[in-house]
Amino acid sequence: MSQLADALSTLSDRGLRRLLGARTFLRGLDYEKRKVVENVTVDSTSARGAVKGSDPEPYQVQISLGGEGITSQCSCPAFQKTNQHCKHVAAL
């Protein structure tokens, strides 16, 4: 198991809700259940994937584990505006 998977596995649903925010967590869970997360790759400290959203092109999402803890990037407009974990990050 990768370091990233180890770190994420220690978080319960409650912990993930705290990290992501309750609304973001629930919206991400809905995306995951609808099977809109594709091309997932995981290495020891990061995960990448594409998430189908409202745009014709899937959003590119990355989650990384580093000195700052769990950080993320997403190509969606919401992430670009707030620079915070979004529902696409939650889905991945």
Side-chain angles (χ1 to χ4, degrees):
M1 192 177 280
S2 71
Q3 292 173 343
L4 178 64
D6 285 343
L8 292 174
S9 71
T10 65
L11 294 173
S12 62
D13 282 358
R14 185 175 178 181
L16 286 170
R17 284 178 196 245
R18 194 174 308 129
L19 174 69
L20 301 166
R23 185 169 187 245
T24 299
F25 172 80
L26 292 173
R27 293 177 79 192
L29 188 60
D30 180 57
Y31 269 52
E32 190 276 328
K33 286 181 180 178
R34 291 187 343 212
K35 308 285 187 213
V36 297
V37 181
E38 308 175 323
N39 303 323
V40 175
T41 59
V42 179
D43 65 32
S44 64
T45 60
S46 67
R48 290 181 172 79
V51 180
K52 293 179 186 176
S54 55
D55 278 3
E57 290 295 315
Y59 298 117
Q60 301 304 308
V61 184
Q62 178 176 336
I63 301 169
S64 300
L65 178 63
E68 310 86 45
I70 298 170
T71 59
S72 63
Q73 292 285 324
C74 182
S75 61
C76 78
F79 187 93
Q80 303 308 310
K81 190 176 189 180
T82 65
N83 209 27
Q84 295 182 347
H85 303 302
C86 63
K87 62 189 176 187
H88 309 107
V89 169
L92 179 62

